[in-house]
Amino acid sequence: MAELPIEAHLDALCDAMAQHARVLLVAEPGAGKTTRVPLALLDEEWCLGERGEGRLLLLEPRRVAARLAAGFMAEMLGEPVGETVGYRMRGESRVGPNTRLEVVTQGVLTRMLQDDPLLEGVTGIIFDEFHERSLEADLGLALALDAQSVRDDLRLLVMSATLDVEALFGVLGESTPLVESQGRSFPVTTRYLPLGSRPNSGENTARQQASAVLEALAQGEGDALVFLPGVAEIRRLARELAGRQPSLAVRELHGRLSLEEQRRALRPEPDGNRRVVLATAIAESSVTVDGVRIVVDAGQERVPVFQPRSGLTRLETRRVNRASADQRRGRAGRQGPGLCLRLWAEEQPLPAHGEPEILQADLAPLAFELARWGIVEPDALAWITLPPAGALAAGRGLLQRLGVLDEAFLLTELGRACSRWPTHPRLAVMLERAGELDAVPLACALVAALEGRDLDGEQDLERTLQARLAQPSAHRQWLREAQRLARIGGVRLEVSNLVPLGELLALAYPDRVAQRINHDAGPGRFRLASGGLATLPERHPLAHAELLVAAELDGQASGARIFRGVAISRERLEALFPETREWQASLEWSDEQGRLVGEQVRGLGAVVLERRPLQSLPPEAIREALLDALRRRGELPFGDSDEQQRGRMALLRQALGDTWPDWSMPGLLDTLETWLGPHLDEVRSLDAVARLPLGRLLLDSLEWPLRARLDELAPERLAVPSGSQVRLDYTPCLEARPPVLAVKLQEVFGWRESPRIAEGRVGALLHLLSPARRPLQVTGDLASFWANGYPEVRREMRGRYPKHPWPEDPLAAVATARTKPRA
């Protein structure tokens, strides 16, 4: 077997792991880190442990990569998978009593740590492909570091093709050894072919992509790997290629395929024919697609982006980042000289790196795991990227609504019971509470379908389940997962009826219970319990339903598209949620009427089952209505002085970190209850809100230590050499620009350097004014201005303003706000 580049560094890596508890490894694609490093460490003294039975965990970001890595390493040892090397992932495990190296998916590590925080018997954890920065990898590293604080014999190795080394040093420690290895790569010719500017429909794009793929096959040798953002684009291009060149073997590679289909895509065609593999980002790293010498990159990726305010996740198609594009390009040079065809213009700028998933994901699962770990404040753990406060608050709010967390963000009895289910907390609540409806087997079947990778388009859930329950053997993946859940629940997978289907979904998605609205405008328009709007095509079977539960939405809060849902009756909704029988005051601000409009309602959130007139306006309801109106407007009525206070805080937050609060408009809208709510007791209108001293209220909300230092770090005025106290303008800081000090030039004679604030970290931008207070010069470098700009200003101005001093040496002159004394 050919030697791989990583092998030249294995001795150094083993030495580092023997002497240090944490090590970083940066190894380029093709270096061999995934399969060579774990085997090299397996017989090290620290890895064997005291009894010689220590186990090593290798974390892989994807199931297909975990299986392939385990199989390859087992083959290198001449053993079947499950002996020395095994793998473990959700719903599938091949480990035995002799297994010492377990390849696991990232979520499995979290469950192992939650079940055994000390990870008894595990002597080392290897985080592979960490540059992908998945939410589960970030959480796994944070929990592993916490476990390591009480287990100093536990080793951690973080490795990847590219790493933000500085950020990792921040959590692993500056003394962490760094081992670097080159990759094995053949030269790759890169060409650019931007798609045409014709109307960019999906089918038109597929036609242009097909022409590009066939052109690349004509120019290069070997098979082709095509990167596309999603399954829909893969299938459109597959149809186009099949129509143009039927003899070409076209294979798909994405997460919805079965293991056998994925393996078939990774292997060359047995008859030797050329093939084209159409893949999502699953093929970017971890796996090698044999025979590929050509990469065609569409330059896009599809990522889920969570919106804390709406509680929905939207799939966004984005331009790929430069690091990922380079990873994709490298796939063409794994097994010989290759060709990479990029379907965008060479001058097209790309972002350097992708955002960590923790910044754009639904954080309800993270909030659940933190509660299980016993963590209330997330900064008690070491994070490379701290969970965003807004998204974490949204996740915790959902878990409280589901009954999983209490007001202190600790697990309730239901939450502790849900810990046994290896699924999203929403679905865990459904599974745990299904017994109340005598429907645990149906819940297992439903969750397996919802989490399966073969639900496509707007399939009818009820019909889908009927078909699968009628012919379970035709849906083996679904059946295996449903049976596994049934075993956890202690039931047999025997479903007698689908009547409770809507109720089960409502247990998991109470915020997605939807009520049909605008009957006069036609069917298919719904109001969600969370307050957002959702739609179905007018001809959809559920478009006329009065109430339904949406299991999947596309994330557009202003009009989300419902992809899967089930009808639910009013009677069953009321039985499931007793609070729907209670009357509540409902108030909202009417822009048309210029006043609060109120009524009494009963229902679930924004879903109203019955309404009646409101006799009085409760203060708490008035407060909530006003806060909601301000949020919907998306801005607050700040005056000039208020904006100055916000600018001061923006400067300190940018310069000194998030110890200082977020007073950006989104940040303040998210925290209205905290800083504004307590001051609305006597307020009845938005005009009255505008008359409040909002800037002072913000200052009053500051904790005393910060309030005491505010004037020192970001003074409202600066003393200039003339003795004047000149006001600083902080509003530019709201756009991450420096504060402005507008001052007459004569008043700063003698100042050698531009003034600095915020512990000397930020320099003011000087607007030097003429005696008539007109701008003469804008500078952030006063020393440079005196040397280079002032002589020209002096020549021009001393004739225009002869009564004012214009000395040859401004540094030695006396600063003044006055004219020259008369002779």
Side-chain angles (χ1 to χ4, degrees):
M1 183 176 297
E3 182 170 302
L4 294 172
I6 192 64
E7 293 177 21
H9 303 276
L10 290 179
D11 287 344
L13 180 63
C14 289
D15 289 344
M17 292 292 291
Q19 299 174 39
H20 298 269
R22 305 165 186 174
V23 176
L24 295 178
L25 169 63
V26 177
E28 294 179 1
K33 62 184 180 301
T34 300
T35 54
R36 301 295 170 91
V37 168
L39 293 179
L41 298 177
L42 205 54
D43 292 325
E44 292 290 298
E45 183 177 348
W46 62 264
C47 188
L48 289 167
E50 293 182 0
R51 300 181 181 179
E53 299 173 350
R55 288 182 295 136
L56 199 59
L57 302 181
L58 170 64
L59 268 71
E60 290 296 329
R62 298 179 179 89
R63 298 164 67 95
V64 62
R67 292 191 189 99
L68 290 171
F72 187 78
M73 287 187 286
E75 185 179 338
M76 291 174 66
L77 296 176
E79 300 175 350
V81 175
E83 285 297 316
T84 303
V85 181
Y87 65 77
R88 192 191 301 266
M89 60 194 66
R90 179 179 167 180
E92 188 177 352
S93 175
R94 292 188 63 180
V95 298
N98 300 321
T99 301
R100 292 194 50 239
L101 171 57
E102 290 188 28
V103 187
V104 301
T105 47
Q106 292 166 342
V108 169
L109 173 64
T110 301
R111 292 197 67 81
M112 293 176 72
L113 282 161
Q114 295 284 18
D115 293 340
D116 178 12
L118 294 181
L119 282 183
E120 295 292 347
V122 174
T123 51
I125 306 173
I126 304 173
F127 293 81
D128 194 16
E129 305 295 354
F130 196 79
H131 70 277
E132 295 191 11
R133 293 297 307 279
S134 73
L135 176 61
E136 289 179 331
D138 275 17
L139 174 61
L141 181 59
L143 297 184
L145 288 168
D146 201 42
Q148 197 181 50
S149 66
V150 292
R151 263 204 62 191
D152 55 9
D153 62 325
L154 180 64
R155 300 292 204 278
L156 302 180
L157 171 62
V158 180
M159 61 185 195
S160 177
T162 57
L163 280 179
D164 185 348
V165 173
E166 293 304 318
L168 278 162
F169 279 151
V171 295
L172 300 181
E174 294 295 333
S175 61
T176 302
L178 172 63
V179 180
E180 297 186 76
S181 169
Q182 300 296 313
R184 183 182 68 178
S185 180
F186 293 91
V188 176
T189 301
T190 304
R191 295 175 185 161
Y192 293 84
L193 182 65
L195 298 186
S197 57
R198 290 175 293 170
N200 201 21
S201 69
E203 296 302 328
N204 180 56
T205 299
R207 286 192 290 273
Q208 295 183 66
Q209 289 171 340
S211 298
V213 170
L214 295 176
E215 181 180 332
L217 287 170
Q219 294 176 356
E221 299 179 357
D223 295 334
L225 174 61
V226 184
F227 285 99
L228 295 163
V231 176
E233 291 82 358
I234 284 175
R235 291 180 177 168
R236 276 198 293 266
L237 181 53
R239 289 194 298 268
E240 188 68 27
L241 287 171
R244 292 206 197 180
Q245 196 164 322
S247 62
L248 188 65
V250 179
R251 302 295 181 202
E252 298 182 11
L253 181 59
H254 51 79
R256 294 186 186 176
L257 301 176
S258 67
L259 172 60
E260 184 50 43
E261 289 171 318
Q262 290 175 339
R263 284 175 173 165
R264 190 181 307 128
L266 294 171
R267 295 192 296 262
E269 292 299 302
D271 56 10
N273 285 345
R274 296 184 83 179
R275 84 192 196 282
V276 175
V277 180
L278 309 179
T280 59
I282 192 174
E284 243 177 60
S285 56
S286 303
V287 300
T288 296
V289 187
D290 281 339
V292 165
R293 301 274 293 280
I294 298 169
V295 164
V296 179
D297 187 358
Q300 294 179 317
E301 61 181 351
R302 188 158 294 141
V303 294
V305 179
F306 182 67
Q307 301 166 303
R309 192 167 294 174
S310 68
L312 302 177
T313 296
R314 182 181 72 253
L315 283 175
E316 283 189 0
T317 301
R318 297 178 172 178
R319 186 161 294 282
V320 72
N321 63 77
R322 191 164 61 247
S324 291
D326 290 343
Q327 285 272 85
R328 295 176 177 189
R329 176 184 180 275
R331 295 281 139 180
R334 282 289 185 91
Q335 298 176 328
L339 167 67
C340 176
L341 186 61
R342 290 174 165 173
L343 303 184
W344 64 86
E346 185 171 4
E347 62 272 15
Q348 172 68 52
L350 299 179
H353 298 281
E355 275 194 333
E357 188 182 2
I358 200 169
L359 294 179
Q360 53 194 10
D362 171 13
L363 295 192
L366 177 70
F368 181 62
E369 297 299 344
L370 291 179
R372 289 187 65 193
W373 196 253
I375 292 293
V376 173
E377 297 300 331
D379 56 8
L381 297 177
W383 301 91
I384 297 176
T385 302
L386 194 68
L392 183 61
R396 284 173 160 173
L398 171 64
L399 297 184
Q400 288 174 326
R401 176 69 186 86
L402 293 171
V404 171
L405 295 185
D406 61 20
E407 292 184 357
F409 308 134
L410 300 176
L411 290 178
T412 61
E413 183 178 348
L414 173 62
R416 288 188 290 273
C418 286
S419 300
R420 66 176 175 149
W421 299 102
T423 186
H424 190 286
R426 284 186 184 272
L427 301 181
V429 169
M430 178 205 296
L431 290 161
E432 192 61 33
R433 293 190 60 190
E436 301 169 18
L437 305 172
D438 195 24
V440 176
L442 176 60
C444 295
L446 176 57
V447 169
L450 290 173
E451 292 208 318
R453 300 174 182 270
D454 54 352
L455 274 181
D456 222 356
E458 296 178 3
Q459 295 182 6
D460 184 291
L461 268 178
E462 189 167 355
R463 292 182 182 177
T464 297
L465 281 175
Q466 285 175 338
R468 295 187 179 192
L469 290 165
Q471 290 186 304
S473 59
H475 306 276
R476 286 178 294 177
Q477 281 185 296
W478 165 81
L479 179 61
R480 184 165 56 247
E481 179 62 12
Q483 288 176 332
R484 185 174 78 96
L485 293 172
R487 286 194 296 272
I488 294 173
V491 298
R492 294 174 60 85
L493 192 64
E494 296 175 351
V495 178
S496 57
N497 70 79
L498 302 183
V499 172
L501 201 55
E503 293 160 276
L504 288 173
L505 281 177
L507 288 172
Y509 302 101
D511 51 326
R512 297 185 190 174
V513 173
Q515 182 178 38
R516 188 156 72 91
I517 58 174
N518 291 345
H519 291 66
D520 295 338
R525 292 174 56 79
F526 293 85
R527 172 83 64 189
L528 299 169
S530 61
L533 298 177
T535 62
L536 279 171
E538 291 189 6
R539 296 185 178 181
H540 193 282
L542 292 175
H544 291 272
E546 289 301 316
L547 293 166
L548 60 80
V549 188
E552 185 177 336
L553 299 164
D554 71 354
Q556 298 293 337
S558 59
R561 179 70 173 271
I562 299 173
F563 285 102
R564 268 177 282 282
V566 173
I568 186 171
S569 70
R570 175 170 168 165
E571 294 73 24
R572 288 184 176 273
L573 186 66
E574 291 177 339
L576 195 62
F577 298 103
E579 63 265 35
T580 58
R581 305 191 192 103
E582 300 175 3
W583 289 96
Q584 303 287 339
S586 173
L587 284 173
E588 65 178 24
W589 180 262
S590 170
D591 286 325
E592 293 180 0
Q593 301 180 45
R595 65 184 181 90
L596 288 168
V597 177
E599 60 183 351
Q600 275 195 315
V601 300
R602 64 179 189 87
L604 188 68
V607 170
V608 177
L609 302 178
E610 192 175 358
R611 61 183 80 227
R612 67 189 185 190
L614 184 65
Q615 302 303 319
S616 61
L617 302 182
E620 185 60 34
I622 293 173
R623 182 185 301 114
E624 291 302 318
L626 290 172
L627 295 179
D628 181 63
L630 289 170
R631 283 201 179 92
R632 283 190 281 109
R633 290 191 170 190
E635 60 182 6
L636 294 165
F638 288 125
D640 291 342
S641 62
D642 304 330
E643 294 291 73
Q644 290 294 329
Q645 303 295 5
R646 293 181 58 227
R648 296 169 77 193
M649 195 57 59
L651 176 139
L652 293 177
R653 186 173 173 85
Q654 292 157 13
L656 303 177
D658 56 13
T659 301
W660 296 87
D662 178 8
W663 283 3
S664 66
M665 193 66 73
L668 291 176
L669 288 171
D670 282 341
T671 56
L672 284 175
E673 285 85 358
T674 302
W675 68 272
L676 181 59
H679 305 282
L680 298 181
D681 289 345
E682 303 300 323
V683 176
R684 294 293 183 272
S685 71
L686 292 179
D687 287 342
V689 173
R691 291 193 292 270
L692 292 173
L694 299 180
R696 182 172 61 77
L697 298 183
L698 284 174
L699 289 177
D700 291 345
S701 71
L702 276 180
E703 297 177 2
W704 172 246
L706 298 183
R707 181 70 182 88
R709 297 200 68 201
L710 177 62
D711 290 336
E712 170 199 344
L713 297 173
E716 292 185 347
R717 294 179 177 271
L718 276 183
V720 298
S722 68
S724 298
Q725 295 283 332
V726 181
R727 177 177 170 273
L728 275 162
D729 180 8
Y730 285 97
T731 54
C733 302
L734 294 170
E735 299 177 358
R737 293 185 285 120
V740 169
L741 184 72
V743 59
K744 287 183 181 180
L745 187 148
Q746 283 79 9
E747 296 202 56
V748 296
F749 288 159
W751 244 358
R752 296 182 176 275
E753 301 288 342
S754 300
R756 303 188 70 81
I757 57 177
E759 297 180 345
R761 302 187 188 198
V762 178
L765 186 67
L766 290 172
H767 285 206
L768 299 174
L769 308 178
S770 72
R773 300 198 67 81
R774 293 191 177 94
L776 291 175
Q777 186 81 19
V778 175
T779 180
D781 186 348
L782 189 57
S784 176
F785 167 70
W786 292 135
N788 304 304
Y790 176 72
E792 180 64 29
V793 170
R794 178 176 181 268
R795 278 194 298 271
E796 184 178 342
M797 290 292 110
R798 65 178 178 170
R800 187 177 301 179
Y801 298 102
K803 293 184 180 181
H804 293 77
W806 300 97
E808 290 189 20
D809 184 0
L811 294 176
V814 176
T816 179
R818 302 176 181 272
T819 58
K820 292 188 293 186
R822 292 183 179 179

